[in-house]
Amino acid sequence: MDLNGRVALVTGSAKRVGRAIALALAKRGAAVAIHYRSSRAEADDAVKQIVLGGGRAEAFAADLASVTEIERMVEQVLQHFHHLDVLVNSASVFYRKPLEELTEQDWDVNLDTNLKAPFFLSKAAGLAMRRQGAGKIVNIGDWAGIRPYNNYLPYTVSKSGLIGLTRALAKALAPQVQVNCVALGPVMPPDDYDAAEIERLRQATLTKTLGSPEDVARAVLYLCEGTDFTTGATLMLDGGRLLN
């Protein structure tokens, strides 16, 4: 798919990895719908950065725990840009809590944001893409969906489900829409990680490096414009962490 002139919706794109993906898509000529929940200032700044670079962008707010808000946002994007060609499900919650302390709310927050929301976003956007005759959906997963982290049980279950969802959507939306997943390893560790924890992450990879948001963006670009023959796949972007 040639991204020039296309429209991409990137969830959680006001900051961190989602922002890097949005900026990379804009540089390829795509108009970008910047999704945010509460980070309005950061979303407006991302829009400003894209526009100053000669691109097109608009910010859209939605609480991804609400299917009603998800469907409303996709409709707003379609009304504003008149079509939708790429969806990147990047928004995610990630926090650690031991099994003994997990609550129903912890389970619901992780599964609603990391798995239920990508499904309903992909349903709404994917059906629109299928009617158009073409589209790309990229889910941002985690290698922990294959080999779980300790003390992140609901999170790892949600990311395991996202890999399965990727495969199921690839079948459901074929042949017009290709659906793939990028499973991240250590990229932008959480803010509460200290230097020792970050160094342990680095040493646990085969490359002895941490990934960057730009690495993720390049992987997304490949799945969007580098090939139309890949669907239902999970691309490991983990520095070999899964093998170590």
Side-chain angles (χ1 to χ4, degrees):
M1 175 185 285
D2 182 357
L3 289 171
N4 190 40
R6 303 287 186 169
V7 176
L9 166 60
V10 184
T11 65
S13 50
K15 51 189 179 180
R16 294 177 65 86
V17 170
R19 184 188 182 103
I21 295 169
L23 295 178
L25 289 165
K27 287 181 181 178
R28 285 293 203 276
V32 184
I34 302 289
H35 158 260
Y36 70 96
R37 182 179 65 86
S38 57
S39 304
R40 177 61 188 265
E42 292 89 343
D44 287 343
D45 185 68
V47 169
K48 180 180 178 181
Q49 186 173 346
I50 290 171
V51 172
L52 287 175
R56 291 191 299 149
E58 189 71 26
F60 296 87
D63 179 356
L64 299 187
S66 166
V67 175
T68 299
E69 291 199 28
I70 286 171
E71 293 173 343
R72 175 186 53 77
M73 177 177 67
V74 172
E75 185 58 33
Q76 287 177 338
V77 172
L78 288 167
Q79 289 177 356
H80 184 82
F81 291 109
H82 308 299
H83 57 104
L84 179 57
D85 308 287
V86 175
L87 168 66
V88 182
N89 286 308
S90 180
S92 182
V93 296
F94 176 73
Y95 59 89
R96 59 180 151 190
K97 184 178 277 192
L99 176 63
E100 295 81 6
E101 298 177 14
L102 287 174
T103 66
E104 182 180 6
Q105 182 180 11
D106 293 315
W107 181 268
D108 289 345
V109 166
N110 279 270
L111 273 291
D112 284 355
T113 303
N114 299 349
L115 184 57
K116 186 171 109 174
F119 167 69
F120 282 99
L121 282 156
S122 297
K123 178 187 176 186
L127 291 176
M129 293 174 190
R130 193 165 68 181
R131 289 191 297 269
Q132 294 167 183
K136 303 280 187 176
I137 297 175
V138 181
N139 296 317
I140 304 301
D142 196 302
W143 74 278
I146 300 172
R147 196 172 92 186
Y149 301 139
N150 196 25
N151 294 326
Y152 290 87
L153 196 152
Y155 173 81
T156 59
V157 169
S158 70
K159 292 301 185 178
S160 179
L162 190 62
I163 292 172
L165 178 64
T166 298
R167 295 170 179 163
L169 285 170
K171 276 195 170 186
L173 293 170
Q176 296 92 345
V177 183
Q178 290 79 56
V179 186
N180 294 290
C181 179
V182 181
L184 308 187
V187 175
M188 291 194 76
D191 294 336
D192 64 345
Y193 275 36
D194 60 27
E197 288 178 302
I198 293 172
E199 184 59 25
R200 281 196 294 272
L201 289 179
R202 188 193 319 276
Q203 293 303 320
T205 67
L206 295 181
T207 59
K208 305 305 178 188
T209 59
L210 298 181
S212 70
E214 290 71 29
D215 288 324
V216 184
R218 283 189 287 269
V220 171
L221 290 176
Y222 168 72
L223 292 171
C224 289
E225 66 180 4
T227 177
D228 292 326
F229 194 55
T230 299
T231 194
T234 295
L235 172 63
M236 301 305 301
L237 192 72
D238 66 344
R241 179 66 182 90
L242 186 63
L243 302 176
N244 206 1

